[in-house]
Amino acid sequence: MTCVSFLTDYGLADGFVAACHGVILRTVPTARIIDITHLVPPGDVRRAATVLVQTVGSLPRGVHLAVVDPGVGTARRAVALRAAGGDLVGPDNGLLIAAAERLGGVQAAVTLPVPAGTPATFHGRDVFAPAAAELAGGTELAALGAPLDPATLVRLPVPHARLRPDGVLEAEVLLVDTFGNVQLAAAGPLLADAGLRPPARVRLWAVVPDAGRSGGAPGDEAGDEAEGAGTDPVTRVTELAVGVTFASVQPGELVLYVDAAGMAALAVRDGDAARALAVAPADRLAICRVGDDA
Amino acid sequence: MTCVSFLTDYGLADGFVAACHGVILRTVPTARIIDITHLVPPGDVRRAATVLVQTVGSLPRGVHLAVVDPGVGTARRAVALRAAGGDLVGPDNGLLIAAAERLGGVQAAVTLPVPAGTPATFHGRDVFAPAAAELAGGTELAALGAPLDPATLVRLPVPHARLRPDGVLEAEVLLVDTFGNVQLAAAGPLLADAGLRPPARVRLWAVVPDAGRSGGAPGDEAGDEAEGAGTDPVTRVTELAVGVTFASVQPGELVLYVDAAGMAALAVRDGDAARALAVAPADRLAICRVGDDA
Amino acid sequence: MTCVSFLTDYGLADGFVAACHGVILRTVPTARIIDITHLVPPGDVRRAATVLVQTVGSLPRGVHLAVVDPGVGTARRAVALRAAGGDLVGPDNGLLIAAAERLGGVQAAVTLPVPAGTPATFHGRDVFAPAAAELAGGTELAALGAPLDPATLVRLPVPHARLRPDGVLEAEVLLVDTFGNVQLAAAGPLLADAGLRPPARVRLWAVVPDAGRSGGAPGDEAGDEAEGAGTDPVTRVTELAVGVTFASVQPGELVLYVDAAGMAALAVRDGDAARALAVAPADRLAICRVGDDA
């Protein structure tokens, strides 16, 4: 009984997801399909890739079908990848790579052919789901298409995260979840390296993206000089606690913690941190220990 | 392992969908249920019928359970239909017919009895899902209820689409999908008949529904005279390209194409055509080749 | 083939639900998972408990996994319960009790241990789903954790509903569903006891919650005196019919009926009663027969 995970931006109001389920089950009636999400904002490959990589580790070994594909019908390649821990199928736009690496790295890859006469707007149903079904049914990867060099696969930019020499952690917002929790691109160990462990209190501020990598703390003259970034258009500044879970702080308060995906994150207990902070994915934040910045 | 597809307007925030799944699986533990959608706007039988007919062709043979049923608990009939390609269960309000025809046409039909004491507001759980489960488990259609004459089944009005003698294609908006793509009631071949093939450019305008079937192109004197519709309250006029997929045009631009259901459709690349055009289902649009209308 | 039902406030836009599915299926590949809903408003334990209790009766015998858990990572207990009709797994915050009682009452209960090093924010994936999977796979309840006294389980307040001596039915709003139907905390028999059967007409008014249990009908001097509540800040007053289903009244009209969960409810035919009445869960309403209140 093979598992096929399935992630798209198709939404849940049309029959698109079901059509793909149907295509898979017509080929492999015993396949188990796990819907990861179909509510990726239209065309948001970055969010889709982030959700995928943070979910595959919990899924049974199998085939991972992901289709967020603004370039459907163009020359962008349709691909199937084999990793040590599973297969992946989707467009060659960076969506699959991080998950493939989480599953052990790409060992082989093929370009999926698009049969003549295939409608140009629904490769999920007509190209990707059939390929995923073939893999779920035991067809060899090599039988699905012409081999391609994994080094040529499209990659997304690496999100910004770094610990500055002055001890300030900079990271962009990677993802805002259903609860409004704000996941940063900084992995937990980077937070620890910055000395940001409970029960520290920290100062958080937003760096205007155009200001580049060297946003200084407000009033942080030494830091600014070290980085030569004294003119950073720093905006909001907030103080908050480092904790281990939402309830480490009082209702309505902000907390910095390492989330269940192992990433630094900001939450408001019983609230919505993204709204409270007015931040969105790709916004850049800076964090330092209170006392380290004066 | 029998498949049961399932479409409702129950939403996903309550336990209604799960209750029906439960009823099916208690009768047929091995049934596979494919949720088509449960986000049909409340009572929107027309949208439900459209999504159903455009999805069933991709699903495994089985039972199709669809419940969008504003008349639940009234004298409207509960029915089960047998088509060459599968069975359908739901209210007799036009929801199932198009799908039944897509599956080869209604060969037999029965009226499902409503047992005394059944709550009058949740026939999905209490009448339709049990019938679908029986069919999925192998019960004969005839055993489920009294036979009815398929000719008496309720039908929805046929959506307007026609190619006018002056070469203008008129069609109402059939469906707006998750992406804001605007599907017209005109099938692809009608588009071809109108000469609307890539790389033609076309003119698109909205005809106020009350103006009837003869909306003329703006400034289209000949056409207007031919149709006697010179006073049509034409509103927006837009020019756009005919393409094969979203990326046939530049980001933000409109494109007319044949969608994956084989219908004429309008999209904005990386955008929302329904919002850009300010159109909704049942609005009537007219399209002609640029050059044909002057 | 064991069924696991699954209810959370995780939403459908992230990979949280899928991660839990994955955890279950990695342990019990043949398990059938029925998603009840994942759109409980964040942290709304009361709504979650209501949806759960009204759905479990339609589900196959099995394990019911429910995670609405604002106290995740704190000292609140993680529990597994055994009832005559199935097992339940979730946080000890009142979410599971009503469903357990619907399934025959709690026969045994254990506290689930949280392994050292478990992230403090995703017990659904790391504590609850693994326990549900163990139960689905046949592990004995007692093997999952230390026994606890069911009498110590956290309970939610009982929602207010009573038939006053003056014949007025008071009940708070228990739940508003997808359609805007307003379910009251009063069970159907209480409605019958109040003489509120079709085709009676009734008067409905909102009692400001702070006014307590004795809201009098507007102009109901005798009732007010009997209850000593002549100063109740009564707000809206509406007259409506008692019926058996939505279509018992004309489109746009209100109807009082016994819903498919056996509870008194208010609906607007082809409309949204919660919006029409401007009521929300926990609001308190009073109802009496027209003619009984003058």
Side-chain angles (χ1 to χ4, degrees), chain B residues 12 14 26 31 72 74 120 125, chain C residues 32 37 47 57 178-179 245 247 260:
Chain B
L12 296 170
D14 297 293
R26 291 203 300 192
V72 61
T74 67
R125 178 191 68 187
Chain C
R32 291 296 300 263
T37 181
R47 182 182 170 92
T178 298
F179 298 92
T245 186

Side-chain angles (χ1 to χ4, degrees), chain B residues 77-261:
Chain B
R77 295 183 293 193
V79 298
L81 316 180
R82 174 146 293 168
D87 295 333
L88 302 103
V89 176
D92 178 28
N93 61 12
L95 172 55
L96 308 175
I97 297 284
E101 289 174 349
R102 183 67 54 95
L103 294 172
V106 180
Q107 297 176 337
V110 299
T111 304
L112 301 172
V114 177
T118 302
T121 53
F122 197 3
H123 285 187
R125 178 191 68 187
D126 299 328
V127 175
F128 298 119
E134 288 296 329
L135 291 170
T139 301
E140 277 303 309
L141 183 76
L144 292 184
L148 68 83
D149 176 0
T152 67
L153 290 166
V154 172
R155 287 173 171 270
L156 298 172
V158 177
H160 178 69
R162 70 157 185 159
L163 181 55
R164 298 191 334 207
D166 62 355
V168 171
L169 175 67
E170 283 185 359
E172 67 179 274
V173 173
L174 193 56
L175 185 138
V176 173
D177 75 14
T178 298
F179 299 92
N181 300 333
V182 174
Q183 186 182 63
L184 303 178
L190 197 60
L191 208 63
D193 291 348
L196 305 177
R197 296 185 192 80
R201 284 193 68 81
V202 302
R203 188 165 296 167
L204 167 78
W205 66 100
V207 179
V208 172
D210 286 345
R213 302 185 172 186
S214 49
D220 179 7
E221 301 296 336
D224 285 351
E225 283 168 15
E227 296 288 309
T231 58
D232 264 3
V234 172
T235 56
R236 301 169 292 275
V237 182
T238 308
E239 275 199 26
L240 64 147
V242 185
V244 296
T245 186
F246 317 121
S248 297
V249 295
Q250 295 303 306
E253 288 186 0
L254 271 166
V255 61
L256 172 67
Y257 63 108
V258 178
D259 74 10

